[in-house]
Amino acid sequence: MTQTYDVAVIGAGMAGASLAAELAPHASVLLAEGEATPGYHATGRSAAFWEECYGGPEVVPLTLASGPFLRELGLLSPRGALYVARAREEADVEAFVARFADSGAHIERLARPALEQRIPGLRPEWTLAIAEPACADIDVAGLHQHYLAQARRGAVELRTSARLEAVEREGEHWRLSFGRAGEARARVLVDAAGAWADEVAGLAGARPLGITPHRRTVSQLRVDPVPPADLPLVLDISGQFYFKPEHGRLWLSPQDETPSEACDAAPEELDVAIAVDRFERVVDWRVEAVERKWAGLRSFAPDRLPVYGFDTARAGFFWFAGQGGFGIQTAPAAARLGAQVLLGLPKDAMTGSIDAATYAPARFAAG
Ligand SMILES: Cc1cc2nc3c(=O)[nH]c(=O)nc-3n(C[C@H](O)[C@H](O)[C@H](O)COP(=O)(O)OP(=O)(O)OC[C@H]3O[C@@H](n4cnc5c(N)ncnc54)[C@H](O)[C@@H]3O)c2cc1C
C-alpha cells in the first residue's frame, strides 16, 4: 500500500535534511534523496565558512540567527575574514561599509600595517581591508549529520536513491513516483532540490521561479610557505578570489559563477588556472601543486535571495530553495523559519528578528 505522509521533502542536502529535522516533532515526514548518499551535491562541496556578510545585507539576519546554534553545537571554529583591496578600490571599500552599515554584521576597516601581520607575504599594492572578526570555519559534515540524526530520531523516513520522477495531484494529496524506489502520498510537497528546484516545481505543475545553478570551483594547493593555521579567510573586495588555510594546505576559489544546467558539476582547468594567477598577484608565495579540485552548483533565485514558503498558485507546494552560496551558514535559522511557516507556528527566539516576507515566494507572484 502507498504510504501517506504529512510532508514529503525532496532533496536531502543541507536544506532538506535540516527542514525535515525541524518538521519531525510536528508531522510525519518522508525525506527523499535521488542520490545514494545525502550531501553528494552542493552540500558536500562547500568551502565551509560562516561569514556574516556573505550573501548580502538581506541574508545577514539568517546568518546571525544561526550563529549561536552552530556555536553551541561546537560546529564553528574561529577564523576571521579580511576583504582586501588596492588603493584604486577605495570606493568599493566605502560602498561595502555603507552597504552593511545597518545590517548587524560586525565589520571594521584595517590599514596596511595590520594587514601585513595577518597575511605574511602580502604584495605591497594591497593596502586596504575590511575585517570581519566573527567569521568562522563550519563543520559542514557535522551539521548535516546532526540534522540527519535528529530527523531519524524524529521518525523521518529517509529514502535514498529515490529520485522524484512524476507527481500527480489526488484530491488533497500529492502522489509521488520515485521509479524503482516506489511511491508515496503527501499533503505537502517541499522542494529542497537545490539545483533541480525549478525542475521539481515543473513536475508538480508549479511555475518555475528561475532558480539558476551557477558553478563554483575550489582547489586545494600545496604552497610555500605553508599557510599559517591562523590565516584569516582572505576575500577580494571585487569578488575575484578567496582563500583560506586547511590543514597545512590552501583552499582557493576564483569566485567563479558560471551559469550551468543542473548536473554533477566538475571543475574546469581554466577556472583553476585563473584562480592560481589571481592568487599569485596577492601574496609572494609559491604554488607547488594543485592537489585536489572540485566544483559545485550554487543556485540563485533572480533576486539572489532564498525562497522559503508556499507557492502562491499551486496549493500544497512549498519552496525551500535558492540557498546560493550561504546555504550552510544559514541552515539552522532557515530550517526553523521554514518549519514555522509551513506549519503555521509562531516565531521563536531564533527566528524572532527575521522577516519571513523577505524570502516568501509571493515576491515573484505576477502583480
Ligand atoms: C564550491 C562551493 C562553496 C560553497 N561554500 C559555502 C560556504 O562556505 N558557506 C555556505 O554557507 N555555503 C557555501 N556554499 C553553498 C552551499 O553549499 C549551498 O547553499 C547548500 O549546500 C545548498 O543545499 P541544498 O540542500 O539546497 O542543495 P544540495 O546539497 O545540492 O541538495 C539538493 C539535493 O536534492 C537532490 N535532488 C534533486 N532533484 C531531486 C529529485 N527529483 N528527487 C530526489 N532528490 C533530488 C539532489 O540529489 C541533492 O542531493 C558553497 C557551495 C559551493 C558549490
Side-chain angles (χ1 to χ4, degrees), residues 10-16 32-35 37-50 138 162-165 178 192-196 199-200 203 216-218 242 294-298 320 323-330:
I10 307 303
M14 190 61 82
E33 168 54 52
E35 301 290 348
T37 314
Y40 177 77
H41 289 288
T43 296
R45 305 176 193 208
S46 96
F49 53 76
W50 181 93
I138 307 185
R163 177 154 290 272
L164 182 67
E165 291 179 356
F178 298 100
W196 291 264
E199 190 180 302
V200 165
L203 288 177
R216 168 67 47 104
T217 308
V218 183
Y242 64 67
W294 66 94
L297 298 177
R298 303 152 80 242
F320 201 61
Q323 284 84 350
F326 43 81
I328 312 295
Q329 64 178 46
T330 56

Side-chain angles (χ1 to χ4, degrees), residues 91-112:
D92 297 335
V93 173
E94 293 310 319
F96 189 105
V97 171
R99 191 164 171 239
F100 287 94
D102 301 321
S103 70
H106 304 91
I107 54 174
E108 55 201 54
R109 283 190 184 80
L110 282 190
R112 174 78 197 182

Side-chain angles (χ1 to χ4, degrees), residues 53 81-87 89-101 105-118 126-134 237:
C53 299
L82 289 176
Y83 284 85
V84 294
R86 289 156 289 196
E89 293 163 317
E90 195 166 356
D92 297 335
V93 173
E94 293 310 319
F96 189 105
V97 171
R99 191 164 171 239
F100 287 94
H106 304 91
I107 54 174
E108 55 201 54
R109 283 190 184 80
L110 282 190
R112 174 78 197 182
L115 272 182
E116 281 170 7
Q117 280 176 5
R118 304 290 311 275
W126 298 89
T127 51
L128 306 169
I130 294 165
E132 197 269 86
I237 194 85

Side-chain angles (χ1 to χ4, degrees), residues 22 24 88 91 160 177-178 222 246 250 261 271 278 323 349:
E22 287 288 345
R88 63 173 186 268
T160 50
S177 303
F178 298 100
R222 195 175 73 232
E246 182 70 23
L250 197 85
E261 53 184 28
D271 291 322
R278 290 176 182 168
Q323 284 84 350

Side-chain angles (χ1 to χ4, degrees), residues 205-336:
R207 184 175 64 86
L209 297 180
I211 294 177
T212 309
H214 292 77
R215 192 178 65 241
R216 168 67 47 104
T217 308
V218 183
S219 51
Q220 177 172 306
L221 309 181
R222 195 175 73 232
V223 291
D224 180 22
V226 172
D230 63 353
L231 184 77
L233 168 68
V234 180
L235 307 106
D236 177 34
I237 194 85
S238 309
Q240 298 286 297
F241 60 80
Y242 64 67
F243 57 86
K244 69 171 200 176
E246 182 70 23
H247 295 104
R249 301 296 194 252
L250 197 85
W251 280 10
L252 169 70
S253 174
Q255 297 216 56
D256 49 331
E257 204 167 285
T258 312
S260 165
E261 53 184 28
C263 65
D264 187 356
E268 299 274 338
E269 288 297 338
L270 182 61
D271 291 322
V272 174
I274 288 171
V276 169
D277 177 60
R278 290 176 182 168
F279 172 72
E280 288 175 337
R281 292 163 198 254
V282 185
V283 285
D284 62 7
W285 311 357
R286 210 161 60 84
V287 174
E288 294 186 330
V290 176
E291 292 186 329
R292 203 155 76 81
K293 50 185 185 288
W294 66 94
L297 298 177
R298 303 152 80 242
S299 299
F300 293 96
D303 61 3
R304 296 180 72 92
L305 293 181
V307 192
Y308 312 141
F310 281 104
D311 190 81
T312 51
R314 197 72 172 127
F317 186 84
F318 191 90
W319 292 90
F320 201 61
Q323 284 84 350
F326 43 81
I328 312 295
Q329 64 178 46
T330 56
R336 182 72 55 84

